[in-house]
């Protein structure tokens, strides 16, 4: 466990450094590109697939398949629910969506990728999986973690103010489902480490508004580090 936490601290430090270089004059990199390239050079994650982070305030109802909305925010809800076995009624996706750009890949094609079955994190939808979603405040999502070996690991959640929380869990071999509660507006990012292997990150942009009734209220980014 100590080794995992040390690795996480090193990775987070590297991400902070890479983020500092994104967008500097003369570099010509898009947001997140330097970070992705640095991790890929270390053997972590996948090559940069392009695309700018979506503008907050441009809520798209196509994300409605990825969340359930209760209508209010509750302090009694857990931000992260521990892993459980997948629901027996869960559908095999037809499509998976990568990165901010939501690059679509047919699931049958994704199964041929050499990274298939490795530590990977998704947001579970009705017929698709995605690595990015926009949801209203107070909504709940189901995360899907795949890990060939499973075992004890840590899920890390980065909140809109760059505060990192570590959640120690036991992951199932194959797939595990975890609950995520959108407890505050802004950008949330999550990833996990099992058996010393770091997963990709998923991004959840949380808005404060009522779905289908009122336009979204975009919150300005907080000061300090922001990924």
């Amino acid at each position: 466990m100590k080794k995992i936490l040390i690795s996480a601290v090193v990775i987070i430090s590297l991400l902070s450094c890479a983020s500092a270089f994104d967008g500097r004059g003369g570099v010509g990199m898009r947001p997140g590109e330097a970070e992705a390239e640095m991790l890929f050079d270390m053997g972590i994650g996948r090559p940069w697939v392009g695309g700018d982070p979506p503008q907050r305030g441009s809520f798209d109802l196509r994300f409605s398949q990825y969340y359930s909305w209760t209508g209010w925010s509750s302090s009694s809800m857990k931000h992260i629910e521990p892993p459980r076995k997948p629901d027996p009624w869960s559908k095999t996706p037809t499509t998976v969506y990568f990165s901010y750009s939501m690059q679509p890949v047919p699931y049958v094609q994704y199964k041929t990728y050499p990274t298939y079955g490795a530590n990977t994190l998704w947001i579970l939808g009705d017929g698709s999986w995605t690595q990015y979603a926009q949801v209203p405040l107070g909504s709940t999502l189901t995360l899907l973690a795949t890990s060939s070996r499973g075992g004890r690991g840590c899920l890390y959640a980065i909140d809109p103010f760059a505060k990192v929380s570590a959640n120690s869990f036991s992951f199932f071999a194959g797939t595990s489902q975890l609950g995520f509660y959108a407890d505050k507006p802004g950008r949330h990012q999550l990833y996990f480490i099992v058996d010393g292997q770091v997963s990709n990150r998923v991004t959840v942009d949380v808005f404060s508004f009522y779905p289908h009734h009122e336009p979204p209220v975009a919150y300005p980014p907080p000061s300090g580090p922001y990924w």
Side-chain angles (χ1 to χ4, degrees), residues 29-220:
M29 288 187 172
R30 292 184 176 185
E33 185 172 0
E35 169 191 323
E37 288 188 357
M38 177 179 288
L39 290 178
F40 184 67
D41 289 341
M42 297 171 58
I44 299 171
R46 302 179 180 84
W48 175 254
V49 296
D52 292 325
Q55 294 296 318
R56 279 183 281 177
S58 57
F59 187 85
D60 191 330
L61 291 180
R62 62 181 169 164
F63 294 109
S64 60
Q65 66 168 297
Y66 299 112
Y67 67 86
S68 297
W69 187 66
T70 60
W72 61 84
S73 177
S74 173
S75 58
S76 63
M77 294 283 289
K78 287 186 178 180
H79 185 47
I80 304 291
E81 292 285 348
R84 65 181 188 274
K85 291 184 178 180
D87 297 325
W89 55 83
S90 296
K91 298 179 181 178
T92 299
T94 57
T95 307
V96 294
Y97 295 95
F98 288 92
S99 187
Y100 289 118
S101 59
M102 294 191 69
Q103 179 185 4
V105 174
Y107 183 71
V108 292
Q109 179 181 339
Y110 170 57
K111 289 177 67 175
T112 67
Y113 285 14
T115 54
Y116 179 79
N119 289 356
T120 313
L121 189 61
W122 300 96
I123 301 169
L124 188 63
D126 183 15
S128 69
W129 300 346
T130 183
Q131 293 178 351
Y132 173 76
Q134 298 175 1
V135 306
L137 183 67
S139 61
T140 58
L141 300 84
T142 299
L143 304 177
L144 186 71
T146 66
S147 178
S148 58
R149 298 183 61 177
R152 200 68 185 175
C154 234
L155 182 125
Y156 295 88
I158 307 168
D159 76 5
F161 298 92
K163 180 181 178 182
V164 181
S165 61
N167 304 269
S168 180
F169 294 132
S170 289
F171 291 81
F172 297 99
T175 57
S176 304
Q177 290 185 4
L178 303 93
F180 172 84
Y181 175 64
D183 62 345
K184 60 174 66 74
R187 180 158 294 165
H188 299 252
Q189 300 200 50
L190 306 103
Y191 66 96
F192 71 95
I193 300 176
V194 170
D195 196 29
Q197 299 298 313
V198 185
S199 77
N200 63 292
R201 288 187 298 161
V202 299
T203 301
V204 182
D205 276 342
V206 179
F207 296 86
S208 181
F209 81 112
Y210 299 98
H212 316 298
H213 296 289
E214 296 181 5
V217 178
Y219 282 72

